Amino acid sequence: MKNCKRTTIGGQALIEAIMMKGPEKTAIAVRMPDGSISVEYMQEKRWNQKNRFLRLPLIRGAVGLIESLVSGYKAMMYAAEKSGFADMEEEEEREKREAKERKKAEKKARKAGMHNLQAASPLPDPAVGRPLEETAAMDAAPAAGQTAADGAAPAAEQALPTQEKKKEEKEESAFMGLLMGVASVLGVALALFLFMWLPTFIFNGINHLTGDAIGNWRSLIEGVMKMGIFVGYLALVSLMKDIKRVFMYHGAEHKSIFCYEAGEELTVENVRKQRRFHPRCGTSFMILMLIVSIIVAAILSIAFPILTKYTAVWVAIKILMLPIICGLGYELIRFCGRHDNILTKIISAPGMWLQRLTTKEPDDSMIEVGIASLKAVIPSDPDADNW
């Protein structure tokens, strides 16, 4: 079915949520722990609205990527907290700590010669239930061997002033923010290592062993290695349970946009039948950036072969070329979005194939989130979001 509209509205799959960005507003729809859907608008000032220079071809691609990373980080933090994912992570960490403490206590008890652990007073553990007989006895009266400390923790927790609890929640939120910030920095560092330094290091080693026999093929070989690393990484993370759900929400986002572009009513039934592979996806943008980087690196290595002789210089050059590569990749995506012919299909093909890894078939509850996020950003002027 041929789309009757191409929209500039785009989204990002989050943890149990979808962020949708329209020409006027950005909204996040989150599936709440109680099953309801919460829709909130992000307060943001888009950089390309502040300065005309940032809307120029080639410039707008790099600006858009940085802006997407910033807003995506904020949206991910919000979705993790709103959906209860952060609380689940904290609960899992607490359970792990308590499990370690129990093991230490049991080990200490064995060393002291206490072989009958069932007869001893159990360690307070709200995550693990007591035996049925012991529970019944405790319901009737306090156990004979129970100490005041056994019931003190819940009572003390209930006695905590509201202000102190709020302070603890604020500290936990700040810690989660710091943790996510550190993770983002480490993620960028890992990306630079994997896609900039590692392929060059491996190529130099192989080239040295072959007596510079493959020197003229540097850009192509490094590019193939980068693509292999990228595809391999996506294939591995797609096996993780939490990431797989994010990729399912990614599918819901694409299907919702396709339904809107087809001019059909945004219902679960109409969205469900749509395709999940979209030519203007961020995955397509990433693979196009890799292809463009191969071409740019080939031109530089041929024009200035001296640059490739020193690993540090060559890596630095590739990092400095990133804004240009982002800009070229973005313009290609725009071109493919505006035209539908054999050339654009060839350009879009690698990204469409790669979406088999990054998008999964969503369930109806995820489609509902996609519809809610999309409806929240559809402009009142039907032509305002034309691509």
Side-chain angles (χ1 to χ4, degrees):
M1 179 176 59
K2 189 175 180 180
N3 293 337
C4 57
K5 179 183 178 72
R6 288 186 174 89
T7 180
T8 58
I9 295 175
Q12 179 178 337
L14 306 168
I15 299 170
E16 300 299 326
I18 292 175
M19 176 182 70
M20 202 71 76
K21 183 174 287 190
E24 300 165 356
K25 297 174 286 188
T26 299
I28 305 175
V30 184
R31 177 66 71 178
M32 303 293 285
D34 62 1
S36 62
I37 298 176
S38 170
V39 179
E40 299 281 348
Y41 289 98
M42 290 185 67
Q43 301 297 325
E44 59 174 356
K45 292 183 179 179
R46 300 183 183 178
W47 300 350
N48 59 6
Q49 294 176 349
K50 300 177 183 178
N51 194 322
R52 281 188 175 183
F53 175 76
L54 301 181
R55 296 197 295 270
L56 293 176
L58 296 182
I59 302 295
R60 60 191 175 190
V63 172
L65 178 61
I66 296 171
E67 187 178 36
S68 295
L69 290 173
V70 173
S71 62
Y73 167 76
K74 292 178 180 178
M76 185 70 75
M77 285 288 296
Y78 173 83
E81 182 179 353
K82 196 83 172 176
S83 65
F85 181 82
D87 294 335
M88 288 188 291
E89 290 283 297
E90 186 181 337
E91 180 68 17
E92 288 178 4
E93 289 297 322
R94 186 186 67 79
E95 289 178 359
K96 287 179 182 179
R97 288 196 301 268
E98 290 181 351
K100 287 181 180 179
E101 289 174 2
R102 287 198 302 274
K103 286 182 180 180
K104 287 181 181 179
E106 289 172 3
K107 187 176 181 181
K108 189 175 180 180
R110 282 196 298 270
K111 286 183 179 180
M114 296 176 66
H115 300 291
N116 190 4
L117 293 177
Q118 279 73 20
S121 297
L123 291 171
D125 181 15
V128 180
R130 294 180 173 87
L132 185 61
E133 297 82 4
E134 182 182 335
T135 303
M138 289 189 66
D139 289 341
Q146 185 181 18
T147 64
D150 290 327
E157 185 177 348
Q158 292 175 3
L160 279 174
T162 305
Q163 188 174 0
E164 190 172 340
K165 284 186 178 181
K166 287 183 178 179
K167 183 180 178 182
E168 288 180 0
E169 290 174 0
K170 189 175 181 180
E171 289 175 352
E172 289 172 2
S173 178
F175 175 74
M176 283 297 296
L178 177 63
L179 194 63
M180 290 291 285
V182 171
S184 299
V185 172
L186 291 177
V188 172
L190 180 62
L192 292 176
F193 170 78
L194 290 176
F195 298 106
M196 295 296 176
W197 185 83
L198 186 60
T200 298
F201 177 77
I202 294 174
F203 177 86
N204 286 344
I206 297 173
N207 193 39
H208 177 73
L209 293 174
T210 57
D212 201 23
I214 59 172
N216 294 332
W217 300 93
R218 172 183 289 275
S219 301
L220 178 61
I221 295 173
E222 286 188 7
V224 169
M225 282 192 284
K226 284 193 287 187
M227 284 193 179
I229 292 170
F230 183 57
V231 174
Y233 170 78
L234 290 177
L236 285 175
V237 299
S238 67
L239 301 176
M240 299 170 62
K241 181 181 176 182
D242 293 332
I243 299 299
K244 186 176 180 181
R245 286 191 63 82
V246 172
F247 287 171
M248 291 171 74
Y249 275 101
H250 193 189
E253 172 218 326
H254 284 187
K255 283 173 172 281
S256 300
I257 292 175
F258 264 131
C259 186
Y260 170 65
E261 290 182 322
E264 297 186 20
E265 184 183 358
L266 289 171
T267 64
V268 172
E269 291 74 18
N270 288 340
V271 171
R272 191 192 300 127
K273 67 184 180 183
Q274 304 296 327
R275 292 176 295 159
R276 73 176 198 264
F277 309 129
H278 203 288
R280 296 186 297 281
C281 172
T283 305
S284 299
F285 174 63
M286 294 302 294
I287 199 69
L288 274 177
M289 279 182 56
L290 288 174
I291 294 172
V292 170
S293 71
I294 295 173
I295 298 172
V296 171
I299 294 172
L300 285 176
S301 62
I302 292 171
F304 308 100
I306 189 66
L307 296 176
T308 65
K309 299 298 181 182
Y310 306 97
T311 301
V313 173
W314 183 237
V315 170
I317 291 294
K318 289 193 291 184
I319 293 174
L320 292 174
M321 291 300 295
L322 276 177
I324 296 175
I325 292 168
C326 288
L328 290 171
Y330 179 78
E331 297 307 322
L332 282 173
I333 283 285
R334 284 181 63 90
F335 178 76
C336 292
R338 291 172 179 269
H339 303 87
D340 186 14
N341 52 50
I342 186 65
L343 176 60
T344 58
K345 287 179 179 178
I346 292 172
I347 295 172
S348 301
M352 298 288 279
W353 177 85
L354 199 59
Q355 286 178 49
R356 297 180 184 277
L357 292 176
T358 62
T359 60
K360 304 294 181 184
E361 282 295 333
D363 58 34
D364 288 354
S365 67
M366 296 173 178
I367 290 174
E368 290 172 352
V369 175
I371 292 172
S373 64
L374 179 55
K375 283 183 174 180
V377 300
I378 294 176
S380 55
D381 180 3
D383 296 325
D385 65 321
N386 285 339
W387 184 269

